[in-house]
Coordinates of all heavy atoms in Angstrom, one line a residue:
W600 N 102.9 84.3 97.2 CA 102.9 84.2 98.7 C 101.4 83.9 99.2 O 101.2 83.1 100.0 CB 103.3 85.6 99.3 CG 103.0 85.8 100.7 CD1 103.5 85.2 101.8 CD2 102.0 86.7 101.2 NE1 102.9 85.7 103.0 CE2 102.0 86.6 102.6 CE3 101.1 87.5 100.6 CZ2 101.1 87.3 103.4 CZ3 100.2 88.3 101.4 CH2 100.2 88.2 102.8
W601 N 100.5 84.6 98.6 CA 99.1 84.4 98.9 C 98.7 83.0 98.6 O 98.0 82.3 99.4 CB 98.1 85.4 98.2 CG 96.7 85.2 98.6 CD1 96.1 85.8 99.7 CD2 95.7 84.4 98.0 NE1 94.8 85.4 99.7 CE2 94.5 84.6 98.7 CE3 95.7 83.6 96.9 CZ2 93.3 83.9 98.3 CZ3 94.6 83.0 96.5 CH2 93.4 83.1 97.2
N602 N 99.0 82.5 97.4 CA 98.7 81.2 97.0 C 99.3 80.1 97.9 O 98.7 79.1 98.3 CB 99.2 80.9 95.5 CG 98.4 81.7 94.5 OD1 97.2 82.0 94.7 ND2 99.0 82.0 93.4
H603 N 100.6 80.3 98.3 CA 101.3 79.4 99.1 C 100.6 79.2 100.5 O 100.4 78.1 100.9 CB 102.7 79.9 99.3 CG 103.5 79.1 100.3 ND1 104.0 77.8 100.0 CD2 103.9 79.3 101.5 CE1 104.6 77.3 101.0 NE2 104.6 78.2 102.0
L604 N 100.2 80.3 101.1 CA 99.5 80.2 102.4 C 98.1 79.8 102.3 O 97.6 78.9 103.0 CB 99.6 81.6 103.1 CG 101.0 82.0 103.5 CD1 100.9 83.4 104.2 CD2 101.7 81.1 104.4
H605 N 97.4 80.4 101.3 CA 95.9 80.2 101.3 C 95.5 78.8 100.8 O 94.5 78.3 101.3 CB 95.3 81.3 100.4 CG 93.8 81.5 100.7 ND1 93.4 82.0 101.9 CD2 92.7 81.2 99.9 CE1 92.0 82.1 101.9 NE2 91.6 81.6 100.7
F606 N 96.3 78.2 99.9 CA 96.0 76.9 99.5 C 96.1 75.9 100.6 O 95.4 74.9 100.7 CB 96.8 76.5 98.3 CG 96.5 77.3 97.0 CD1 97.2 77.1 95.9 CD2 95.4 78.1 97.0 CE1 96.9 77.8 94.7 CE2 95.1 78.8 95.9 CZ 95.9 78.7 94.7
Q607 N 97.1 76.1 101.5 CA 97.3 75.2 102.7 C 96.1 75.4 103.6 O 95.6 74.4 104.2 CB 98.6 75.6 103.4 CG 99.9 75.3 102.7 CD 101.1 75.8 103.5 OE1 101.4 75.1 104.5 NE2 101.7 76.8 103.0
H608 N 95.7 76.6 103.8 CA 94.5 76.8 104.6 C 93.3 76.1 104.2 O 92.6 75.5 104.9 CB 94.2 78.3 104.7 CG 92.9 78.7 105.3 ND1 92.5 78.5 106.6 CD2 91.8 79.2 104.7 CE1 91.3 78.8 106.8 NE2 90.8 79.3 105.6
H609 N 93.0 76.1 102.9 CA 91.8 75.5 102.3 C 92.0 74.0 102.4 O 91.0 73.3 102.5 CB 91.6 76.0 100.9 CG 90.6 77.1 100.8 ND1 89.3 77.0 100.7 CD2 90.9 78.5 101.0 CE1 88.7 78.2 100.7 NE2 89.7 79.1 100.9
A610 N 93.2 73.4 102.3 CA 93.4 72.0 102.3 C 93.1 71.4 103.7 O 92.5 70.4 103.8 CB 94.8 71.7 101.8
K611 N 93.6 72.1 104.7 CA 93.5 71.6 106.1 C 93.1 72.8 107.0 O 93.9 73.2 107.9 CB 94.8 71.0 106.5 CG 95.3 69.8 105.8 CD 94.4 68.6 106.1 CE 95.0 67.3 105.4 NZ 94.2 66.1 105.8
P612 N 91.9 73.3 106.9 CA 91.5 74.4 107.8 C 91.5 74.0 109.2 O 91.0 73.0 109.6 CB 90.1 74.8 107.3 CG 89.6 73.6 106.6 CD 90.8 72.9 106.0
N613 N 92.1 74.9 110.1 CA 92.1 74.7 111.5 C 92.8 73.5 112.0 O 92.7 73.0 113.1 CB 90.6 74.7 112.1 CG 90.0 76.1 112.3 OD1 90.6 77.0 111.7 ND2 88.9 76.2 113.0
C614 N 93.7 72.9 111.1 CA 94.6 71.8 111.5 C 95.9 72.4 111.9 O 96.6 73.0 111.1 CB 94.7 70.8 110.4 SG 93.2 69.9 110.0
F615 N 96.2 72.2 113.2 CA 97.5 72.8 113.8 C 98.7 72.2 113.0 O 98.8 71.0 112.8 CB 97.5 72.5 115.3 CG 98.7 73.1 116.0 CD1 99.0 74.4 115.8 CD2 99.4 72.4 116.9 CE1 100.1 75.0 116.4 CE2 100.5 72.9 117.5 CZ 100.8 74.3 117.3
R616 N 99.6 73.1 112.7 CA 100.9 72.8 112.0 C 100.7 72.6 110.5 O 101.6 72.4 109.8 CB 101.6 71.6 112.6 CG 102.0 71.8 114.1 CD 103.0 70.8 114.5 NE 103.2 70.8 116.0 CZ 103.9 71.7 116.6 NH1 104.5 72.7 116.0 NH2 104.0 71.7 117.9
K617 N 99.4 72.6 110.0 CA 99.2 72.5 108.6 C 98.4 73.7 108.0 O 98.5 74.0 106.8 CB 98.4 71.2 108.3 CG 99.2 69.9 108.6 CD 98.5 68.7 108.1 CE 99.5 67.4 108.3 NZ 98.8 66.2 107.8
D618 N 97.6 74.3 108.8 CA 96.9 75.6 108.4 C 97.7 76.8 108.9 O 97.8 77.0 110.1 CB 95.5 75.6 109.0 CG 94.7 76.8 108.6 OD1 95.3 77.7 107.9 OD2 93.6 77.0 109.1
P619 N 98.3 77.5 108.0 CA 99.1 78.7 108.5 C 98.4 79.7 109.3 O 98.9 80.5 110.1 CB 99.6 79.3 107.2 CG 99.5 78.2 106.2 CD 98.3 77.4 106.6
D620 N 97.0 79.7 109.1 CA 96.2 80.7 109.8 C 96.1 80.5 111.3 O 95.7 81.4 112.0 CB 94.8 80.8 109.2 CG 94.8 81.4 107.8 OD1 95.9 81.7 107.3 OD2 93.7 81.6 107.2
V621 N 96.5 79.3 111.8 CA 96.4 79.1 113.2 C 97.8 78.9 113.8 O 98.0 78.3 114.9 CB 95.5 77.8 113.6 CG1 94.1 78.1 113.2 CG2 96.0 76.6 112.8
N622 N 98.8 79.4 113.1 CA 100.2 79.3 113.6 C 100.4 80.2 114.9 O 101.5 80.2 115.4 CB 101.2 79.7 112.5 CG 101.5 78.6 111.6 OD1 101.1 77.4 111.9 ND2 102.1 78.8 110.5
M623 N 99.4 81.0 115.2 CA 99.6 81.9 116.4 C 99.5 81.1 117.7 O 99.8 81.6 118.8 CB 98.6 83.0 116.4 CG 97.2 82.5 116.3 SD 96.1 83.9 115.9 CE 94.6 83.1 115.4
H624 N 99.1 79.8 117.7 CA 99.1 78.9 118.8 C 100.5 78.2 118.9 O 100.9 77.7 117.9 CB 98.0 77.9 118.7 CG 98.0 76.8 119.7 ND1 97.3 77.0 120.9 CD2 98.6 75.7 119.8 CE1 97.5 75.9 121.6 NE2 98.3 75.1 121.0

């Protein structure tokens, strides 16, 4: 689970719909 989310974050940080960490928007 961590790998699935975190690798997406590092690939496209702060890119809406591609970085799971900014899905709160």
Side-chain angles (χ1 to χ4, degrees):
W600 163 76
W601 183 87
N602 289 335
H603 175 71
L604 294 179
H605 201 65
F606 292 173
Q607 292 179 71
H608 164 70
H609 268 267
K611 296 288 185 179
N613 281 13
C614 291
F615 186 45
R616 303 193 189 283
K617 293 190 176 181
D618 179 3
D620 289 4
V621 294
N622 278 349
M623 53 191 165
H624 172 92

